[in-house]
Amino acid sequence: MTDEDGYFGEAVADRYDQSTGSEFQPDVIDRTVEFLSELADGGRALELAIGTGRIAVPLARRGVPVHGIDMSRAMVARLHAKPEGRDIGVSIGDFTTTTVDTEADGPFALAYLVFNTIMNVADQEGQVACFRNAARHLAPGGCFVIEVMVPELRKIPAGQNIVPFHTSPTGWAYTVYDTVTQDATCHYIDITEDGRGEAHSTPFRYVWPAELDLMAQLAGLRLRERWGGWAREPFTEDSTQHISVWEKPVE
């Protein structure tokens, strides 16, 4: 992952907080923050890909000290422009490798990566490195939380590899899957007010829950719990996403 790719540069950062997606709805944010604050249990939290602070700001408002890692200076600038975000520390860099100095304040009680962002790490080696980086920041007994979709391969018709996931009079979006490599690309097409079309694409690598558990094991973590949503809905074969919590063992 490199910021030079521009996936989360100025154009995305400028409109990110105006999104109407479900993840920006106040009730969804409240459930997310409640879940994370309970796990932090008075300790510090590290957000990988902190972005503009959609979760970090309300989590800090609850009294949880938050530090972030993010490679997009444009997104972090929006975070620090917010009154409640200006004092949240951020280390600029790739969250799979960038480390935060824990000597002064000690290790973190919680690390988290939300909203499918593990899939933005577009190769398996990088995803494993993400788990290892999270684990090295955690105190014994600390937790690493990931929110990610369940791959939608059951939606792919026989003989095809495309799944549309958004359609409207002003735009549409679809994903092209490679089921051999687990690579995929999301394509977005938007119609501007003057009738022009704008297109952009984002690559990712989809990953299964069992594969994430193996990555956690390689990083010295073990599965503690898995849910179908932030309200701790049961995770079932029909779940479209999962909230997984891995714990660093107490030696």
PDB file of all heavy atoms in Angstrom, residues 116-121 123-124 127-128 131 146-153 177 181-184 204-215 242 246:
ATOM      1  N   ASN A 116     -13.784  -2.938   6.464  1.00  0.00           N
ATOM      2  CA  ASN A 116     -13.210  -3.717   5.348  1.00  0.00           C
ATOM      3  C   ASN A 116     -11.774  -3.340   4.995  1.00  0.00           C
ATOM      4  O   ASN A 116     -11.256  -3.795   3.967  1.00  0.00           O
ATOM      5  CB  ASN A 116     -14.071  -3.578   4.074  1.00  0.00           C
ATOM      6  CG  ASN A 116     -15.468  -4.113   4.243  1.00  0.00           C
ATOM      7  OD1 ASN A 116     -15.689  -5.086   4.945  1.00  0.00           O
ATOM      8  ND2 ASN A 116     -16.433  -3.462   3.605  1.00  0.00           N
ATOM      9  N   THR A 117     -11.115  -2.550   5.822  1.00  0.00           N
ATOM     10  CA  THR A 117      -9.817  -2.000   5.420  1.00  0.00           C
ATOM     11  C   THR A 117      -8.731  -3.065   5.331  1.00  0.00           C
ATOM     12  O   THR A 117      -7.741  -2.876   4.611  1.00  0.00           O
ATOM     13  CB  THR A 117      -9.401  -0.874   6.369  1.00  0.00           C
ATOM     14  OG1 THR A 117     -10.494   0.064   6.474  1.00  0.00           O
ATOM     15  CG2 THR A 117      -8.199  -0.126   5.844  1.00  0.00           C
ATOM     16  N   ILE A 118      -8.876  -4.186   6.015  1.00  0.00           N
ATOM     17  CA  ILE A 118      -7.894  -5.263   5.864  1.00  0.00           C
ATOM     18  C   ILE A 118      -7.807  -5.693   4.404  1.00  0.00           C
ATOM     19  O   ILE A 118      -6.749  -6.118   3.928  1.00  0.00           O
ATOM     20  CB  ILE A 118      -8.241  -6.476   6.780  1.00  0.00           C
ATOM     21  CG1 ILE A 118      -7.129  -7.541   6.718  1.00  0.00           C
ATOM     22  CG2 ILE A 118      -9.582  -7.082   6.404  1.00  0.00           C
ATOM     23  CD1 ILE A 118      -5.797  -7.092   7.222  1.00  0.00           C
ATOM     24  N   MET A 119      -8.894  -5.558   3.649  1.00  0.00           N
ATOM     25  CA  MET A 119      -8.881  -5.973   2.250  1.00  0.00           C
ATOM     26  C   MET A 119      -8.177  -4.960   1.356  1.00  0.00           C
ATOM     27  O   MET A 119      -7.823  -5.286   0.219  1.00  0.00           O
ATOM     28  CB  MET A 119     -10.310  -6.209   1.756  1.00  0.00           C
ATOM     29  CG  MET A 119     -11.035  -7.320   2.495  1.00  0.00           C
ATOM     30  SD  MET A 119     -12.524  -7.924   1.660  1.00  0.00           S
ATOM     31  CE  MET A 119     -13.457  -6.410   1.454  1.00  0.00           C
ATOM     32  N   ASN A 120      -7.970  -3.733   1.839  1.00  0.00           N
ATOM     33  CA  ASN A 120      -7.194  -2.764   1.065  1.00  0.00           C
ATOM     34  C   ASN A 120      -5.714  -3.129   1.022  1.00  0.00           C
ATOM     35  O   ASN A 120      -4.955  -2.601   0.212  1.00  0.00           O
ATOM     36  CB  ASN A 120      -7.355  -1.356   1.637  1.00  0.00           C
ATOM     37  CG  ASN A 120      -8.747  -0.790   1.411  1.00  0.00           C
ATOM     38  OD1 ASN A 120      -9.437  -0.435   2.350  1.00  0.00           O
ATOM     39  ND2 ASN A 120      -9.164  -0.721   0.152  1.00  0.00           N
ATOM     40  N   VAL A 121      -5.308  -4.016   1.930  1.00  0.00           N
ATOM     41  CA  VAL A 121      -3.967  -4.598   1.838  1.00  0.00           C
ATOM     42  C   VAL A 121      -4.081  -5.708   0.798  1.00  0.00           C
ATOM     43  O   VAL A 121      -4.624  -6.775   1.067  1.00  0.00           O
ATOM     44  CB  VAL A 121      -3.506  -5.158   3.199  1.00  0.00           C
ATOM     45  CG1 VAL A 121      -2.093  -5.703   3.089  1.00  0.00           C
ATOM     46  CG2 VAL A 121      -3.597  -4.078   4.274  1.00  0.00           C
ATOM     47  N   ASP A 123      -2.425  -7.998  -0.760  1.00  0.00           N
ATOM     48  CA  ASP A 123      -1.740  -9.280  -0.905  1.00  0.00           C
ATOM     49  C   ASP A 123      -1.693  -9.963   0.456  1.00  0.00           C
ATOM     50  O   ASP A 123      -1.770  -9.316   1.502  1.00  0.00           O
ATOM     51  CB  ASP A 123      -0.329  -9.103  -1.480  1.00  0.00           C
ATOM     52  CG  ASP A 123       0.557  -8.229  -0.614  1.00  0.00           C
ATOM     53  OD1 ASP A 123       1.070  -8.721   0.410  1.00  0.00           O
ATOM     54  OD2 ASP A 123       0.726  -7.042  -0.942  1.00  0.00           O
ATOM     55  N   GLN A 124      -1.566 -11.279   0.426  1.00  0.00           N
ATOM     56  CA  GLN A 124      -1.613 -12.062   1.660  1.00  0.00           C
ATOM     57  C   GLN A 124      -0.448 -11.735   2.585  1.00  0.00           C
ATOM     58  O   GLN A 124      -0.610 -11.652   3.818  1.00  0.00           O
ATOM     59  CB  GLN A 124      -1.618 -13.552   1.330  1.00  0.00           C
ATOM     60  CG  GLN A 124      -1.838 -14.447   2.532  1.00  0.00           C
ATOM     61  CD  GLN A 124      -1.766 -15.923   2.164  1.00  0.00           C
ATOM     62  OE1 GLN A 124      -0.699 -16.413   1.772  1.00  0.00           O
ATOM     63  NE2 GLN A 124      -2.896 -16.619   2.264  1.00  0.00           N
ATOM     64  N   GLN A 127      -1.260  -8.695   4.543  1.00  0.00           N
ATOM     65  CA  GLN A 127      -2.290  -8.926   5.542  1.00  0.00           C
ATOM     66  C   GLN A 127      -1.719  -9.624   6.771  1.00  0.00           C
ATOM     67  O   GLN A 127      -2.066  -9.291   7.907  1.00  0.00           O
ATOM     68  CB  GLN A 127      -3.432  -9.733   4.916  1.00  0.00           C
ATOM     69  CG  GLN A 127      -4.230  -8.931   3.889  1.00  0.00           C
ATOM     70  CD  GLN A 127      -5.257  -9.767   3.140  1.00  0.00           C
ATOM     71  OE1 GLN A 127      -5.203 -10.999   3.136  1.00  0.00           O
ATOM     72  NE2 GLN A 127      -6.211  -9.094   2.494  1.00  0.00           N
ATOM     73  N   VAL A 128      -0.823 -10.581   6.553  1.00  0.00           N
ATOM     74  CA  VAL A 128      -0.151 -11.229   7.681  1.00  0.00           C
ATOM     75  C   VAL A 128       0.689 -10.216   8.450  1.00  0.00           C
ATOM     76  O   VAL A 128       0.697 -10.193   9.694  1.00  0.00           O
ATOM     77  CB  VAL A 128       0.723 -12.396   7.192  1.00  0.00           C
ATOM     78  CG1 VAL A 128       1.586 -12.941   8.329  1.00  0.00           C
ATOM     79  CG2 VAL A 128      -0.138 -13.513   6.616  1.00  0.00           C
ATOM     80  N   PHE A 131      -1.369  -8.191  10.929  1.00  0.00           N
ATOM     81  CA  PHE A 131      -1.625  -8.877  12.199  1.00  0.00           C
ATOM     82  C   PHE A 131      -0.391  -8.820  13.095  1.00  0.00           C
ATOM     83  O   PHE A 131      -0.500  -8.566  14.299  1.00  0.00           O
ATOM     84  CB  PHE A 131      -2.027 -10.331  11.946  1.00  0.00           C
ATOM     85  CG  PHE A 131      -3.494 -10.524  11.711  1.00  0.00           C
ATOM     86  CD1 PHE A 131      -4.051 -10.321  10.458  1.00  0.00           C
ATOM     87  CD2 PHE A 131      -4.326 -10.913  12.753  1.00  0.00           C
ATOM     88  CE1 PHE A 131      -5.405 -10.497  10.240  1.00  0.00           C
ATOM     89  CE2 PHE A 131      -5.685 -11.098  12.544  1.00  0.00           C
ATOM     90  CZ  PHE A 131      -6.227 -10.882  11.296  1.00  0.00           C
ATOM     91  N   ILE A 146     -11.100  -6.661  14.023  1.00  0.00           N
ATOM     92  CA  ILE A 146     -11.280  -6.372  12.602  1.00  0.00           C
ATOM     93  C   ILE A 146     -12.758  -6.459  12.261  1.00  0.00           C
ATOM     94  O   ILE A 146     -13.454  -7.392  12.674  1.00  0.00           O
ATOM     95  CB  ILE A 146     -10.469  -7.345  11.719  1.00  0.00           C
ATOM     96  CG1 ILE A 146      -8.988  -6.933  11.689  1.00  0.00           C
ATOM     97  CG2 ILE A 146     -11.026  -7.398  10.299  1.00  0.00           C
ATOM     98  CD1 ILE A 146      -8.122  -7.789  10.792  1.00  0.00           C
ATOM     99  N   GLU A 147     -13.229  -5.478  11.512  1.00  0.00           N
ATOM    100  CA  GLU A 147     -14.566  -5.502  10.911  1.00  0.00           C
ATOM    101  C   GLU A 147     -14.385  -5.683   9.404  1.00  0.00           C
ATOM    102  O   GLU A 147     -13.708  -4.877   8.755  1.00  0.00           O
ATOM    103  CB  GLU A 147     -15.298  -4.188  11.179  1.00  0.00           C
ATOM    104  CG  GLU A 147     -16.629  -4.059  10.439  1.00  0.00           C
ATOM    105  CD  GLU A 147     -17.154  -2.626  10.406  1.00  0.00           C
ATOM    106  OE1 GLU A 147     -16.345  -1.684  10.527  1.00  0.00           O
ATOM    107  OE2 GLU A 147     -18.373  -2.453  10.241  1.00  0.00           O
ATOM    108  N   VAL A 148     -14.981  -6.733   8.845  1.00  0.00           N
ATOM    109  CA  VAL A 148     -14.793  -6.986   7.417  1.00  0.00           C
ATOM    110  C   VAL A 148     -15.973  -7.787   6.882  1.00  0.00           C
ATOM    111  O   VAL A 148     -16.607  -8.553   7.598  1.00  0.00           O
ATOM    112  CB  VAL A 148     -13.453  -7.721   7.157  1.00  0.00           C
ATOM    113  CG1 VAL A 148     -13.461  -9.116   7.768  1.00  0.00           C
ATOM    114  CG2 VAL A 148     -13.125  -7.778   5.676  1.00  0.00           C
ATOM    115  N   MET A 149     -16.244  -7.601   5.610  1.00  0.00           N
ATOM    116  CA  MET A 149     -17.327  -8.317   4.951  1.00  0.00           C
ATOM    117  C   MET A 149     -16.973  -9.781   4.763  1.00  0.00           C
ATOM    118  O   MET A 149     -15.805 -10.170   4.750  1.00  0.00           O
ATOM    119  CB  MET A 149     -17.615  -7.695   3.583  1.00  0.00           C
ATOM    120  CG  MET A 149     -16.446  -7.810   2.616  1.00  0.00           C
ATOM    121  SD  MET A 149     -16.746  -7.055   1.005  1.00  0.00           S
ATOM    122  CE  MET A 149     -17.827  -8.286   0.281  1.00  0.00           C
ATOM    123  N   VAL A 150     -17.991 -10.609   4.630  1.00  0.00           N
ATOM    124  CA  VAL A 150     -17.815 -11.988   4.192  1.00  0.00           C
ATOM    125  C   VAL A 150     -17.801 -11.958   2.665  1.00  0.00           C
ATOM    126  O   VAL A 150     -18.686 -11.345   2.054  1.00  0.00           O
ATOM    127  CB  VAL A 150     -18.956 -12.887   4.706  1.00  0.00           C
ATOM    128  CG1 VAL A 150     -18.823 -14.294   4.138  1.00  0.00           C
ATOM    129  CG2 VAL A 150     -18.969 -12.908   6.224  1.00  0.00           C
ATOM    130  N   PRO A 151     -16.814 -12.543   2.008  1.00  0.00           N
ATOM    131  CA  PRO A 151     -16.757 -12.505   0.542  1.00  0.00           C
ATOM    132  C   PRO A 151     -18.089 -12.935  -0.081  1.00  0.00           C
ATOM    133  O   PRO A 151     -18.695 -13.927   0.339  1.00  0.00           O
ATOM    134  CB  PRO A 151     -15.633 -13.491   0.212  1.00  0.00           C
ATOM    135  CG  PRO A 151     -14.734 -13.419   1.404  1.00  0.00           C
ATOM    136  CD  PRO A 151     -15.650 -13.265   2.582  1.00  0.00           C
ATOM    137  N   GLU A 152     -18.505 -12.177  -1.094  1.00  0.00           N
ATOM    138  CA  GLU A 152     -19.840 -12.364  -1.672  1.00  0.00           C
ATOM    139  C   GLU A 152     -19.832 -13.307  -2.872  1.00  0.00           C
ATOM    140  O   GLU A 152     -20.571 -13.110  -3.834  1.00  0.00           O
ATOM    141  CB  GLU A 152     -20.410 -11.008  -2.083  1.00  0.00           C
ATOM    142  CG  GLU A 152     -20.598 -10.053  -0.923  1.00  0.00           C
ATOM    143  CD  GLU A 152     -21.196  -8.735  -1.352  1.00  0.00           C
ATOM    144  OE1 GLU A 152     -20.640  -8.107  -2.278  1.00  0.00           O
ATOM    145  OE2 GLU A 152     -22.216  -8.331  -0.775  1.00  0.00           O
ATOM    146  N   LEU A 153     -19.059 -14.352  -2.809  1.00  0.00           N
ATOM    147  CA  LEU A 153     -18.912 -15.211  -3.977  1.00  0.00           C
ATOM    148  C   LEU A 153     -20.196 -15.941  -4.326  1.00  0.00           C
ATOM    149  O   LEU A 153     -20.396 -16.320  -5.484  1.00  0.00           O
ATOM    150  CB  LEU A 153     -17.782 -16.217  -3.746  1.00  0.00           C
ATOM    151  CG  LEU A 153     -16.391 -15.630  -3.465  1.00  0.00           C
ATOM    152  CD1 LEU A 153     -15.337 -16.707  -3.568  1.00  0.00           C
ATOM    153  CD2 LEU A 153     -16.074 -14.481  -4.401  1.00  0.00           C
ATOM    154  N   TYR A 177     -14.211 -10.081  -9.481  1.00  0.00           N
ATOM    155  CA  TYR A 177     -13.497 -11.032  -8.632  1.00  0.00           C
ATOM    156  C   TYR A 177     -12.624 -11.976  -9.442  1.00  0.00           C
ATOM    157  O   TYR A 177     -13.005 -12.415 -10.532  1.00  0.00           O
ATOM    158  CB  TYR A 177     -14.493 -11.886  -7.835  1.00  0.00           C
ATOM    159  CG  TYR A 177     -15.192 -11.161  -6.712  1.00  0.00           C
ATOM    160  CD1 TYR A 177     -16.429 -10.563  -6.901  1.00  0.00           C
ATOM    161  CD2 TYR A 177     -14.616 -11.099  -5.443  1.00  0.00           C
ATOM    162  CE1 TYR A 177     -17.071  -9.905  -5.864  1.00  0.00           C
ATOM    163  CE2 TYR A 177     -15.253 -10.453  -4.400  1.00  0.00           C
ATOM    164  CZ  TYR A 177     -16.478  -9.856  -4.614  1.00  0.00           C
ATOM    165  OH  TYR A 177     -17.113  -9.213  -3.578  1.00  0.00           O
ATOM    166  N   THR A 181      -6.918 -16.095  -7.304  1.00  0.00           N
ATOM    167  CA  THR A 181      -5.933 -15.338  -6.531  1.00  0.00           C
ATOM    168  C   THR A 181      -6.532 -14.624  -5.321  1.00  0.00           C
ATOM    169  O   THR A 181      -5.792 -14.138  -4.469  1.00  0.00           O
ATOM    170  CB  THR A 181      -5.277 -14.273  -7.419  1.00  0.00           C
ATOM    171  OG1 THR A 181      -6.287 -13.337  -7.850  1.00  0.00           O
ATOM    172  CG2 THR A 181      -4.623 -14.910  -8.637  1.00  0.00           C
ATOM    173  N   GLN A 182      -7.873 -14.552  -5.240  1.00  0.00           N
ATOM    174  CA  GLN A 182      -8.600 -13.773  -4.235  1.00  0.00           C
ATOM    175  C   GLN A 182      -8.397 -12.271  -4.430  1.00  0.00           C
ATOM    176  O   GLN A 182      -8.713 -11.474  -3.550  1.00  0.00           O
ATOM    177  CB  GLN A 182      -8.242 -14.186  -2.802  1.00  0.00           C
ATOM    178  CG  GLN A 182      -8.711 -15.578  -2.438  1.00  0.00           C
ATOM    179  CD  GLN A 182      -8.390 -15.990  -1.013  1.00  0.00           C
ATOM    180  OE1 GLN A 182      -8.128 -17.169  -0.746  1.00  0.00           O
ATOM    181  NE2 GLN A 182      -8.412 -15.055  -0.085  1.00  0.00           N
ATOM    182  N   ASP A 183      -7.894 -11.881  -5.584  1.00  0.00           N
ATOM    183  CA  ASP A 183      -7.806 -10.471  -5.926  1.00  0.00           C
ATOM    184  C   ASP A 183      -9.161 -10.005  -6.447  1.00  0.00           C
ATOM    185  O   ASP A 183      -9.928 -10.783  -7.025  1.00  0.00           O
ATOM    186  CB  ASP A 183      -6.750 -10.235  -7.013  1.00  0.00           C
ATOM    187  CG  ASP A 183      -5.348 -10.541  -6.529  1.00  0.00           C
ATOM    188  OD1 ASP A 183      -5.097 -10.375  -5.316  1.00  0.00           O
ATOM    189  OD2 ASP A 183      -4.518 -10.959  -7.353  1.00  0.00           O
ATOM    190  N   ALA A 184      -9.438  -8.725  -6.247  1.00  0.00           N
ATOM    191  CA  ALA A 184     -10.679  -8.150  -6.747  1.00  0.00           C
ATOM    192  C   ALA A 184     -10.476  -6.655  -6.939  1.00  0.00           C
ATOM    193  O   ALA A 184      -9.564  -6.056  -6.367  1.00  0.00           O
ATOM    194  CB  ALA A 184     -11.835  -8.413  -5.787  1.00  0.00           C
ATOM    195  N   PHE A 204      -8.373  -4.725  -4.129  1.00  0.00           N
ATOM    196  CA  PHE A 204      -8.311  -5.278  -2.784  1.00  0.00           C
ATOM    197  C   PHE A 204      -8.128  -6.789  -2.869  1.00  0.00           C
ATOM    198  O   PHE A 204      -8.144  -7.369  -3.950  1.00  0.00           O
ATOM    199  CB  PHE A 204      -9.544  -4.903  -1.948  1.00  0.00           C
ATOM    200  CG  PHE A 204     -10.848  -5.481  -2.432  1.00  0.00           C
ATOM    201  CD1 PHE A 204     -11.295  -6.704  -1.964  1.00  0.00           C
ATOM    202  CD2 PHE A 204     -11.660  -4.782  -3.318  1.00  0.00           C
ATOM    203  CE1 PHE A 204     -12.506  -7.246  -2.372  1.00  0.00           C
ATOM    204  CE2 PHE A 204     -12.877  -5.303  -3.740  1.00  0.00           C
ATOM    205  CZ  PHE A 204     -13.294  -6.535  -3.272  1.00  0.00           C
ATOM    206  N   ARG A 205      -7.952  -7.396  -1.726  1.00  0.00           N
ATOM    207  CA  ARG A 205      -7.857  -8.854  -1.644  1.00  0.00           C
ATOM    208  C   ARG A 205      -8.852  -9.339  -0.617  1.00  0.00           C
ATOM    209  O   ARG A 205      -8.741  -9.018   0.564  1.00  0.00           O
ATOM    210  CB  ARG A 205      -6.448  -9.308  -1.256  1.00  0.00           C
ATOM    211  CG  ARG A 205      -6.326 -10.828  -1.156  1.00  0.00           C
ATOM    212  CD  ARG A 205      -4.945 -11.272  -0.693  1.00  0.00           C
ATOM    213  NE  ARG A 205      -4.814 -12.730  -0.739  1.00  0.00           N
ATOM    214  CZ  ARG A 205      -5.161 -13.556   0.261  1.00  0.00           C
ATOM    215  NH1 ARG A 205      -5.636 -13.072   1.405  1.00  0.00           N
ATOM    216  NH2 ARG A 205      -5.038 -14.861   0.118  1.00  0.00           N
ATOM    217  N   TYR A 206      -9.852 -10.105  -1.061  1.00  0.00           N
ATOM    218  CA  TYR A 206     -10.842 -10.600  -0.106  1.00  0.00           C
ATOM    219  C   TYR A 206     -10.254 -11.746   0.705  1.00  0.00           C
ATOM    220  O   TYR A 206      -9.332 -12.446   0.271  1.00  0.00           O
ATOM    221  CB  TYR A 206     -12.143 -10.995  -0.802  1.00  0.00           C
ATOM    222  CG  TYR A 206     -12.087 -12.194  -1.717  1.00  0.00           C
ATOM    223  CD1 TYR A 206     -12.209 -13.491  -1.216  1.00  0.00           C
ATOM    224  CD2 TYR A 206     -11.986 -12.035  -3.100  1.00  0.00           C
ATOM    225  CE1 TYR A 206     -12.203 -14.590  -2.055  1.00  0.00           C
ATOM    226  CE2 TYR A 206     -11.972 -13.129  -3.949  1.00  0.00           C
ATOM    227  CZ  TYR A 206     -12.082 -14.406  -3.427  1.00  0.00           C
ATOM    228  OH  TYR A 206     -12.074 -15.492  -4.263  1.00  0.00           O
ATOM    229  N   VAL A 207     -10.781 -11.919   1.910  1.00  0.00           N
ATOM    230  CA  VAL A 207     -10.191 -12.876   2.841  1.00  0.00           C
ATOM    231  C   VAL A 207     -11.294 -13.503   3.682  1.00  0.00           C
ATOM    232  O   VAL A 207     -12.251 -12.838   4.079  1.00  0.00           O
ATOM    233  CB  VAL A 207      -9.125 -12.171   3.716  1.00  0.00           C
ATOM    234  CG1 VAL A 207      -9.721 -11.057   4.534  1.00  0.00           C
ATOM    235  CG2 VAL A 207      -8.382 -13.159   4.591  1.00  0.00           C
ATOM    236  N   TRP A 208     -11.163 -14.804   3.940  1.00  0.00           N
ATOM    237  CA  TRP A 208     -12.171 -15.555   4.671  1.00  0.00           C
ATOM    238  C   TRP A 208     -11.894 -15.521   6.178  1.00  0.00           C
ATOM    239  O   TRP A 208     -10.741 -15.357   6.596  1.00  0.00           O
ATOM    240  CB  TRP A 208     -12.204 -17.006   4.188  1.00  0.00           C
ATOM    241  CG  TRP A 208     -12.546 -17.122   2.750  1.00  0.00           C
ATOM    242  CD1 TRP A 208     -11.677 -17.260   1.697  1.00  0.00           C
ATOM    243  CD2 TRP A 208     -13.855 -17.072   2.177  1.00  0.00           C
ATOM    244  NE1 TRP A 208     -12.367 -17.312   0.509  1.00  0.00           N
ATOM    245  CE2 TRP A 208     -13.703 -17.196   0.771  1.00  0.00           C
ATOM    246  CE3 TRP A 208     -15.137 -16.944   2.696  1.00  0.00           C
ATOM    247  CZ2 TRP A 208     -14.779 -17.194  -0.112  1.00  0.00           C
ATOM    248  CZ3 TRP A 208     -16.218 -16.946   1.828  1.00  0.00           C
ATOM    249  CH2 TRP A 208     -16.038 -17.069   0.449  1.00  0.00           C
ATOM    250  N   PRO A 209     -12.924 -15.695   7.007  1.00  0.00           N
ATOM    251  CA  PRO A 209     -12.710 -15.708   8.468  1.00  0.00           C
ATOM    252  C   PRO A 209     -11.655 -16.720   8.910  1.00  0.00           C
ATOM    253  O   PRO A 209     -10.800 -16.409   9.737  1.00  0.00           O
ATOM    254  CB  PRO A 209     -14.096 -16.056   9.023  1.00  0.00           C
ATOM    255  CG  PRO A 209     -15.056 -15.529   8.003  1.00  0.00           C
ATOM    256  CD  PRO A 209     -14.374 -15.763   6.679  1.00  0.00           C
ATOM    257  N   ALA A 210     -11.694 -17.935   8.363  1.00  0.00           N
ATOM    258  CA  ALA A 210     -10.727 -18.956   8.765  1.00  0.00           C
ATOM    259  C   ALA A 210      -9.307 -18.558   8.396  1.00  0.00           C
ATOM    260  O   ALA A 210      -8.349 -18.859   9.124  1.00  0.00           O
ATOM    261  CB  ALA A 210     -11.085 -20.302   8.122  1.00  0.00           C
ATOM    262  N   GLU A 211      -9.154 -17.880   7.270  1.00  0.00           N
ATOM    263  CA  GLU A 211      -7.824 -17.424   6.866  1.00  0.00           C
ATOM    264  C   GLU A 211      -7.327 -16.337   7.816  1.00  0.00           C
ATOM    265  O   GLU A 211      -6.142 -16.299   8.171  1.00  0.00           O
ATOM    266  CB  GLU A 211      -7.863 -16.905   5.425  1.00  0.00           C
ATOM    267  CG  GLU A 211      -6.499 -16.556   4.870  1.00  0.00           C
ATOM    268  CD  GLU A 211      -6.566 -16.034   3.442  1.00  0.00           C
ATOM    269  OE1 GLU A 211      -7.685 -15.833   2.930  1.00  0.00           O
ATOM    270  OE2 GLU A 211      -5.498 -15.813   2.855  1.00  0.00           O
ATOM    271  N   LEU A 212      -8.206 -15.460   8.239  1.00  0.00           N
ATOM    272  CA  LEU A 212      -7.838 -14.432   9.215  1.00  0.00           C
ATOM    273  C   LEU A 212      -7.411 -15.067  10.538  1.00  0.00           C
ATOM    274  O   LEU A 212      -6.462 -14.602  11.185  1.00  0.00           O
ATOM    275  CB  LEU A 212      -9.007 -13.476   9.442  1.00  0.00           C
ATOM    276  CG  LEU A 212      -9.351 -12.550   8.266  1.00  0.00           C
ATOM    277  CD1 LEU A 212     -10.658 -11.820   8.536  1.00  0.00           C
ATOM    278  CD2 LEU A 212      -8.232 -11.552   8.010  1.00  0.00           C
ATOM    279  N   ASP A 213      -8.099 -16.141  10.942  1.00  0.00           N
ATOM    280  CA  ASP A 213      -7.720 -16.839  12.177  1.00  0.00           C
ATOM    281  C   ASP A 213      -6.311 -17.404  12.077  1.00  0.00           C
ATOM    282  O   ASP A 213      -5.546 -17.386  13.052  1.00  0.00           O
ATOM    283  CB  ASP A 213      -8.709 -17.961  12.485  1.00  0.00           C
ATOM    284  CG  ASP A 213     -10.075 -17.447  12.910  1.00  0.00           C
ATOM    285  OD1 ASP A 213     -10.172 -16.275  13.315  1.00  0.00           O
ATOM    286  OD2 ASP A 213     -11.045 -18.233  12.842  1.00  0.00           O
ATOM    287  N   LEU A 214      -5.954 -17.918  10.907  1.00  0.00           N
ATOM    288  CA  LEU A 214      -4.605 -18.440  10.709  1.00  0.00           C
ATOM    289  C   LEU A 214      -3.579 -17.308  10.750  1.00  0.00           C
ATOM    290  O   LEU A 214      -2.495 -17.454  11.334  1.00  0.00           O
ATOM    291  CB  LEU A 214      -4.524 -19.197   9.391  1.00  0.00           C
ATOM    292  CG  LEU A 214      -3.167 -19.835   9.057  1.00  0.00           C
ATOM    293  CD1 LEU A 214      -2.710 -20.778  10.168  1.00  0.00           C
ATOM    294  CD2 LEU A 214      -3.244 -20.560   7.725  1.00  0.00           C
ATOM    295  N   MET A 215      -3.915 -16.172  10.144  1.00  0.00           N
ATOM    296  CA  MET A 215      -3.016 -15.018  10.210  1.00  0.00           C
ATOM    297  C   MET A 215      -2.804 -14.589  11.660  1.00  0.00           C
ATOM    298  O   MET A 215      -1.683 -14.250  12.065  1.00  0.00           O
ATOM    299  CB  MET A 215      -3.595 -13.859   9.396  1.00  0.00           C
ATOM    300  CG  MET A 215      -3.627 -14.096   7.902  1.00  0.00           C
ATOM    301  SD  MET A 215      -4.343 -12.689   7.016  1.00  0.00           S
ATOM    302  CE  MET A 215      -4.372 -13.330   5.340  1.00  0.00           C
ATOM    303  N   HIS A 242     -18.406  -9.736   9.576  1.00  0.00           N
ATOM    304  CA  HIS A 242     -18.106 -10.236  10.909  1.00  0.00           C
ATOM    305  C   HIS A 242     -17.214  -9.252  11.646  1.00  0.00           C
ATOM    306  O   HIS A 242     -16.425  -8.517  11.039  1.00  0.00           O
ATOM    307  CB  HIS A 242     -17.466 -11.638  10.875  1.00  0.00           C
ATOM    308  CG  HIS A 242     -16.170 -11.726  10.151  1.00  0.00           C
ATOM    309  ND1 HIS A 242     -14.943 -11.681  10.795  1.00  0.00           N
ATOM    310  CD2 HIS A 242     -15.886 -11.870   8.833  1.00  0.00           C
ATOM    311  CE1 HIS A 242     -13.977 -11.803   9.904  1.00  0.00           C
ATOM    312  NE2 HIS A 242     -14.513 -11.925   8.703  1.00  0.00           N
ATOM    313  N   TRP A 246      -9.364 -10.969  18.336  1.00  0.00           N
ATOM    314  CA  TRP A 246      -8.273 -11.880  18.676  1.00  0.00           C
ATOM    315  C   TRP A 246      -7.540 -11.306  19.880  1.00  0.00           C
ATOM    316  O   TRP A 246      -7.370 -10.096  20.008  1.00  0.00           O
ATOM    317  CB  TRP A 246      -7.321 -12.071  17.531  1.00  0.00           C
ATOM    318  CG  TRP A 246      -7.953 -12.701  16.316  1.00  0.00           C
ATOM    319  CD1 TRP A 246      -8.122 -14.031  16.069  1.00  0.00           C
ATOM    320  CD2 TRP A 246      -8.535 -12.025  15.201  1.00  0.00           C
ATOM    321  NE1 TRP A 246      -8.762 -14.229  14.869  1.00  0.00           N
ATOM    322  CE2 TRP A 246      -9.025 -13.011  14.307  1.00  0.00           C
ATOM    323  CE3 TRP A 246      -8.671 -10.677  14.837  1.00  0.00           C
ATOM    324  CZ2 TRP A 246      -9.631 -12.692  13.090  1.00  0.00           C
ATOM    325  CZ3 TRP A 246      -9.292 -10.351  13.652  1.00  0.00           C
ATOM    326  CH2 TRP A 246      -9.754 -11.358  12.791  1.00  0.00           C
TER     327      TRP A 246
END
